[in-house]
Amino acid sequence: MARYNAKDSEQRWQDAWNAANVFLTPTDHSKPKCYVLEMFPYPSGRIHIGHVRNYTMGDVLARFKRSQGFNVLHPMGWDAFGLPAENAAREKHVNPRDWTYENIAAMKDQLKLMGLSLDWTREFATCDPAYFAREQKLFLDFYRENLAYRSEADVNWDPVDMTVLANEQVIDGRGWRSGALVERKKLSQWFLRITAFSQELLDALDTLERWPEKVRLMQKNWIGRSEGLRFTFRLSNDEGLDVFTTRPDTLFGASFVAISPDHPLAEELANKDTTLAQFQAECRRIGTAEEAIEKAEKLGYDTGLTAAHPFDPNWKLPVYVANFVLMAYGTGAIFGCPAHDQRDLDFARKYKLTVNAVVIPEGADPKTFDVGNEAYVGPGKLANSQFLDGLTVEEGKAEVLKRLETAGIGERKVQFRLRDWLVSRQRPWGCPIPMIHCPTCGVVPVPEDQLPVKAPDDLTFTVKGNPLDVHPTWKHVSCPQCGGAATRDTDTLDTFVDSSWYYARFTDTTAEGPVNQEAVDYWLPVDQYIGGIEHAILHLLYSRFFLRAMKKAGYVKIDEPFAGLFTQGMVCHETYKDAAGLWLAPEQIDKRDGGVFVKGSDEKVTVGPSEKMSKSKKNVVAPEAIIDIFGADTIRWFMLSDTPPERDIEWTEEGADACWKFVQRIWRLVSEAEGLPPVGTPVTGNSDLRRAVHKAIAAVTEDLAGLRFNRAVAQIYTLTNAISAAGAAPGAERREALEALVQLIGPMMPHLAESCWDALGHAPFVAAAPWPKAEAELLAIHTVTIAVQVNGKLRGTLEIAPDTDKAEVEAAALALESVTRALDGKAPKKVIVVPNRIVNIVA
RNA sequence: GCCCGAGUGGUGGAAUGGUAGACGCACUGGACUCAAAAUCCAGCGUCCGAAAGGAUGUGUCGGUUCGAGUCCGACCUCGGGCACCA
């Protein structure tokens, strides 16, 4: 029998599935549904191996659920707007639209090689006018529902390129292309009111039981609910200054007040104080990234103003502008209590401010307790705090709150870290914001019958600034309300908006409105969403918000888009460097004689650790090259084997070879099987082989349902070994075993499974055959192995009938020769018998 | 800085608080072959031992328990995220 020819076979089965429409989404809604979705790709032009891992997992699940009788929706599309297309437009002088659609075509060809069970009739790209027209409609709905509003916000501004920069485009405070020092600039921009749902988004996390705990926790921290006190300081210039604190109990430990460099008061003071203005500029150079701000040295500028302590008007606290106070959180102003907050302490030490401990840990003396250089944030009793002395932290918080509320200068406040979602982007390759600015009427929505608002075809990318904004005619329109001269909003929506509702659009891509009510009611929520952990917060949180906003606008009845979430790990590879320290690609090296050399020479290669595949380190492998050599089933099997799906996997050449050998092994086992009775021959009995088969069916079924692909793979190896060892078993038993094996590998290696199914005499398709069922009586256990320990150390085992009486098990254990030897004549003090598990004799 | 995750043989990893190392890779020995590849069989944590067997062993230190890779506390190391990359 010939070797399995993956290339021919895979093409043949892909064509056959296609011709028979095996993977079209069922339209009869009477059966239970399963919506399986992988995070759709950005069309960079090539699929990378991370996509292969992601889509393989989703495909296994989709095929598994389909054969279990579910109506499966398994679509694919393209997250097609974004920066790379603009960069290509600038660098290669191509139209971003052409570049994007060419990439989509190329990637689609590559994806098709994988044999994914996708319904391609539902494909769309977010840059299709048919899609973003509906997105613009949703934006107008949200505006009407008061979920979209305009406000000023900071951007990174490149003064040379005259363009807004993404954080990623700011390198060491300079524009990535121009090298100019980046400025911060205020622009009037659109926001979506995600904070209207802060509490709801937080509470609902508890209901997402099929989400990783880690992701829920990350979102919880991101939403960042904290309870505290907002109160007003009276300043020496007689103005009031609002601050927020979660530690009102430490108010008597205050030694300064600090405001953000972006605080209105700081702006006001800077108008008359050039040194302060310089200080502000210096702070802003740190950028907007939280990491940079937190890590930067704590810097402050003494405004000369003072704030009166709320409980003692004669106690004056200096007011600083400080770089670590964020305008975006709370009120943009704090009181500093150095003894009990590390940042405040660092600041106080630097500016030689007093450090008074007011929370004293158990057993410490209030008179001598000194925090040194580490703030004390633990529990304790209040001291040096007048009327608070002796209270606990919690009691102190309540007391201060009560007094300031009574005095009318403070109130209890629930503060969220979550900020509204800034969605305006000053970029041409995105969904245009369908709004018009009229000097008379203000902001006017584009009438719905004029949607979609499309970018013009003749954009120039060589100009400075946003091409949409500098285009000679596009933005000039007449106001839909008064007819006067007006201009379009030249910003586009954040691409996260595009990906916040695509899953809903997939349920009916022909819907006239954004969604079809009947389709979303049936298909949503997504039953299993699979993608990278890098989307743990933003994409997933925005999508959760977006569906709520769509509900408010009357489109859907549910709140949560993704009932099940799985975040898969990355694909890594060893890194290689030559003698000169330059990176080498895997195909440039040669492993031989126990060493690693530059291919075609004796130059030694330094092998580095396995890292996420990246172009710069050259440790990438191209999926299409692997498919070309081994076929799609091999790469799919690799992606599922050995490593748990949530963990990073390392691509190795040896592993790929091993998978390919396994493909051949199965093919041999099936195609060379002799003496098999015809399809449908009944089989009875409880031979070892039959028990192994049904045990494998049960285990693989459970593992696939739980997305434990690596364990399912191990079970299949075990079954394969059992079949190999049972060459002398009756034909009917071997047929049953081979059919089970073929069906179990079906979701993972679908082409090979079809070829085997065919070789076993079945009509196509195994992909459409019902999932095998394990027979309960064959899973029953006839004997159990019980471990026997003496003082917790293994001394022997017992083969015994399951559920044997405890006393009998104990007697049998004590009778073991190895046990009497270990006891050495001592009488057992105690014997613990765990039924069917273990006996532990304590001597 | 803050938040999160992970540490088990040569290696990827398995293990409802109950026989640590399933299954795969690599390696070693053997069979087949003129030879190689492929395939098949056997071995494979470490130490002592010819073997039987024994000791030891899941990043470190301590704790809970008849029993800990698993639970608790402290620490060490590595990795990821931090609002305009998608």
Side-chain angles (χ1 to χ4, degrees), chain A residues 222-518:
Chain A
W222 190 259
I223 296 168
R225 184 184 196 275
S226 54
E227 288 180 20
L229 166 69
R230 187 209 55 76
F231 69 96
T232 310
F233 275 110
R234 186 59 37 196
L235 300 183
S236 49
N237 65 2
D238 219 29
E239 285 182 35
L241 178 68
D242 281 356
V243 300
F244 173 75
T245 177
T246 57
R247 293 298 302 271
D249 54 304
T250 64
L251 197 44
F252 286 100
S255 58
F256 64 95
V257 168
I259 63 174
S260 163
D262 301 313
H263 195 279
L265 176 62
E267 304 281 10
E268 187 193 316
L269 295 171
N271 285 337
K272 287 170 265 169
D273 181 344
T274 52
T275 324
L276 175 55
Q278 271 169 20
F279 178 73
Q280 277 182 314
E282 201 180 312
C283 293
R284 283 168 190 171
R285 260 200 292 283
I286 298 170
T288 55
E290 186 177 318
E291 182 197 2
I293 293 169
E294 290 280 337
K295 260 190 173 162
E297 189 189 1
K298 308 286 174 282
L299 293 176
Y301 179 86
D302 191 344
T303 61
L305 293 172
T306 60
H309 193 280
F311 290 127
D312 180 359
N314 296 320
W315 181 359
K316 306 290 188 191
L317 300 165
V319 177
Y320 282 82
V321 176
N323 64 348
F324 64 93
V325 181
L326 303 173
M327 192 56 218
Y329 185 75
T331 61
I334 61 159
F335 79 81
C337 175
H340 306 293
D341 181 287
Q342 191 60 46
R343 289 179 306 185
D344 296 350
L345 183 61
D346 294 344
F347 189 81
R349 293 289 184 222
K350 183 169 173 75
Y351 293 100
K352 311 242 182 312
L353 300 166
T354 52
V355 179
N356 289 330
V358 290
V359 179
I360 310 302
E362 181 96 32
D365 181 354
K367 291 195 183 67
T368 56
F369 179 62
D370 181 12
V371 297
N373 280 320
E374 204 166 319
Y376 180 73
V377 294
K381 288 273 165 61
L382 294 171
N384 309 317
S385 296
Q386 302 183 14
F387 53 84
L388 298 176
D389 283 359
L391 299 182
T392 65
V393 167
E394 287 313 312
E395 290 162 350
K397 285 179 180 174
E399 183 62 24
V400 170
L401 182 66
K402 194 178 85 190
R403 290 197 184 218
L404 289 183
E405 258 175 350
T406 309
I409 55 169
E411 61 180 357
R412 172 187 294 278
K413 173 114 167 104
V414 174
Q415 181 70 45
F416 291 93
R417 206 180 78 97
L418 184 66
R419 314 202 290 254
D420 275 335
W421 177 11
L422 167 54
V423 292
S424 294
R425 296 291 182 272
Q426 296 68 39
R427 310 193 179 285
W429 187 234
C431 172
I433 295 176
M435 289 288 177
I436 289 165
H437 302 281
C438 170
T440 317
C441 311
V443 172
V444 181
V446 172
E448 287 186 10
D449 59 8
Q450 291 174 25
L451 299 183
V453 175
K454 283 196 261 186
D457 288 323
D458 57 341
L459 287 179
T460 319
F461 287 84
T462 46
V463 294
K464 290 187 189 301
N466 178 2
L468 280 179
D469 194 37
V470 299
H471 187 276
T473 57
W474 181 75
K475 72 176 174 186
H476 299 289
V477 288
S478 49
C479 171
Q481 218 159 286
C482 70
T487 55
R488 290 190 185 284
D489 200 306
T490 58
D491 289 350
T492 56
L493 291 170
D494 180 2
T495 57
F496 274 123
V497 177
D498 311 335
S499 55
S500 287
W501 71 287
Y502 77 108
Y503 53 87
R505 183 70 188 168
F506 272 140
T507 63
D508 182 356
T509 49
T510 65
E512 188 48 42
V515 294
N516 164 343
Q517 185 79 54
E518 206 252 333

Side-chain angles (χ1 to χ4, degrees), chain A residues 197-211 215-217 219-220 223 541 544-545 548 551 558-563:
Chain A
F197 299 92
S198 298
Q199 189 66 52
E200 211 183 299
L201 287 166
L202 180 67
D203 292 342
L205 286 173
D206 291 334
T207 69
L208 298 173
E209 285 160 14
R210 292 200 296 119
W211 278 43
V215 174
R216 289 196 276 172
L217 188 62
Q219 292 214 350
K220 188 181 166 201
I223 296 168
L541 190 61
R544 296 181 60 218
F545 154 71
R548 283 173 169 80
K551 184 185 181 188
I558 58 166
D559 295 311
E560 288 294 335
F562 312 117

